[in-house]
Amino acid sequence: MKPRKPDGDQARDPQRIRAAALDFLARREHSAGEINAKLVTRGYDPDVVVAVVADLAGANLLSDVRFVEEFVASRLRRGSGPLKIREELRGRGVDGSLVETTLDRYADDWAETAAGVRRKRFGAALPREYAERARQARFLQQRGFSAEQIRQAMKGDIDD
């Protein structure tokens, strides 16, 4: 059963909004932008939502830094590349400089991750034919790896 949208005073009640936000945060980390959007979509007053989200961030219950670090690590484990991760975070309303700083910490891992993703999908042997190389490169590109990272993964000189 879908919860009813709050009406009147309920939509402006900071305690109720805080409880709803904490309910989201109990499940997983969220960015401030995500929490804002979810609460407003559920019918809460946008002005009060902004104030409550600021309070949660001030109490360190909501942290974009923590969210981005967890998100990037999770996507890295899944085999996603930095270009895809950057776009996903942009869509979640996270500050671009925070995203870049976090992605830069993993700069040495991207080519190795691309090589691992290629090996997992296509096996250890590097493709010899152009068509197969192109197919594997497209696969890595769809996963969000840059041309240079793909080139390194296709050379096979990445340490395991």
Side-chain angles (χ1 to χ4, degrees):
M1 183 165 90
K2 199 171 191 179
R4 284 187 4 203
K5 287 193 176 191
D7 57 349
D9 291 337
Q10 291 178 343
R12 290 183 291 282
D13 180 14
Q15 291 301 93
R16 188 179 184 103
I17 295 171
R18 181 182 171 90
L22 289 174
D23 188 42
F24 293 133
L25 291 169
R27 293 186 197 115
R28 71 168 174 86
E29 288 288 339
H30 287 73
S31 69
E34 281 181 312
I35 293 288
N36 262 321
K38 285 183 174 195
L39 292 171
V40 170
T41 299
R42 282 170 176 69
Y44 292 107
D45 183 86
D47 296 331
V48 181
V49 167
V50 169
V52 168
V53 168
D55 288 343
L56 290 171
N60 203 26
L61 295 171
L62 173 67
S63 169
D64 277 357
V65 172
R66 203 168 49 231
F67 168 73
V68 170
E69 288 172 356
E70 183 180 302
F71 190 90
V72 170
S74 166
R75 291 308 191 266
L76 184 64
R77 285 189 302 274
R78 283 188 192 176
S80 294
L83 304 176
K84 184 175 183 177
I85 294 170
R86 183 179 294 117
E87 280 305 307
E88 286 183 76
L89 287 169
R90 183 178 303 169
R92 293 170 187 257
V94 178
D95 179 50
S97 62
L98 174 60
V99 172
E100 293 308 316
T101 302
T102 307
L103 289 175
D104 286 346
R105 275 192 238 132
Y106 292 94
D108 297 338
D109 298 336
W110 296 120
E112 187 176 324
T113 300
V117 168
R118 191 207 65 76
R119 268 192 309 277
K120 183 176 179 184
R121 172 73 180 211
F122 300 105
L126 290 169
R128 299 202 186 282
E129 297 172 10
Y130 176 78
E132 182 60 21
R133 287 182 67 82
R135 184 172 83 94
Q136 291 184 20
R138 279 191 308 274
F139 171 76
L140 292 172
Q141 186 179 24
Q142 288 172 340
R143 285 314 252 324
F145 293 100
S146 70
E148 181 58 30
Q149 292 157 354
I150 294 169
R151 196 172 7 268
Q152 290 176 355
M154 299 298 271
K155 276 200 265 182
D157 61 350
I158 307 292
D159 295 332
D160 287 334

